[in-house]
Amino acid sequence: MRRRMTGSDYACQYRAVDSPVHRLSAGWKMLISAALSIWILVVREPQPLLLATAACFLYYFFARLTLADLWRDIRFFLFQFIILLSLYLYKLGYPEGVWPGVRTSIQIVLFFIPGIVFLRTTQVSSMMKGLRGFVPYRILFLLFTSLRFVPFFAREMQEIFMAQKLRGARLSPQDIRRPVFWRDIFSCIIIPLLVRALKTADEAALSAEARGMGAHPRRTYYDVQELEKILASKEKTIQPTGK
């Protein structure tokens, strides 16, 4: 229980704590995430990028997420940082390629942080409830179920990575920096992950069909927070009886 309150086990996993970001509706969180992501995409100079970085991390920690959560969420981006920086240095040379490579890598990481906060602080039922008046629920189910699989595939990637390293694949940080070994990343990580994704999608489709997905034009939503509010209001209305 203590581990649940101090951190989460996998990247982008919903964290059940009380924070101002958790209390926002799904629509507001999507609006904030979109605004931050657009801001990150348009900045080019160091000072605006620094401000965007500060805003993203402030938003992240305002949701009562920890440094351990942040490390789990962004550690996979270290590979793209190394690859992008190497490509820019190869194309533009040193030192001309340093800033474009660093800037692009940072922008990619920051672009995903608002979405990660959205996943960390929003339940699927709340997401679908907030948008059911605008988007058909079948599309919402497809979209948000895909989002909720992000922690699952992060865990799968970690397990595949460890298994392939035990089998002798060249996946150490020193090897990843060398383009000659990038084919090992594709054959040992990307292809098994794609196979697992296709299998998971098929299993999710069968599960949804078995539960009657699409049998009715409308569906209900189980909202834990709304249920807690109803129970709390009922407890307040119950008056103690004297003997």
Side-chain angles (χ1 to χ4, degrees), residues 95-215:
E96 289 79 7
V98 174
W99 167 242
V102 171
R103 182 195 64 198
T104 305
S105 301
I106 292 176
Q107 283 181 305
I108 292 175
V109 176
L110 295 179
F111 177 81
F112 285 100
I113 284 182
I116 291 172
V117 175
F118 182 77
L119 293 175
R120 285 282 197 178
T121 60
T122 313
Q123 294 178 323
V124 176
S125 59
S126 300
M127 300 178 193
M128 299 180 70
K129 183 180 178 181
L131 295 175
R132 62 182 176 180
F134 308 98
V135 184
Y137 79 89
R138 292 179 179 86
I139 298 178
L140 288 176
F141 176 81
L142 175 64
L143 174 62
F144 291 119
T145 302
S146 301
L147 290 176
R148 299 313 299 180
F149 273 120
V150 171
F152 171 77
F153 285 117
R155 182 174 70 251
E156 286 291 316
M157 181 181 292
Q158 183 180 8
E159 293 176 355
I160 292 172
F161 182 83
M162 296 301 297
Q164 296 291 9
K165 283 191 67 176
L166 291 174
R167 292 171 182 168
R170 299 181 180 91
L171 299 174
S172 65
Q174 294 80 10
D175 294 331
I176 291 175
R177 289 198 295 264
R178 303 175 62 182
V180 69
F181 294 132
W182 289 356
R183 61 181 181 181
D184 284 359
I185 299 176
F186 182 79
S187 60
C188 298
I189 302 295
I190 304 300
I191 291 180
L193 192 63
L194 287 176
V195 172
R196 182 57 178 162
L198 293 174
K199 182 179 179 181
T200 302
D202 185 58
E203 293 174 351
L206 291 175
S207 177
E209 185 178 358
R211 288 169 170 80
M213 182 69 183

Side-chain angles (χ1 to χ4, degrees), residues 53-67:
T53 303
C56 283
F57 284 114
L58 182 64
Y59 182 52
Y60 189 91
F61 292 115
F62 205 55
R64 291 186 61 189
L65 300 172
T66 64
L67 288 174

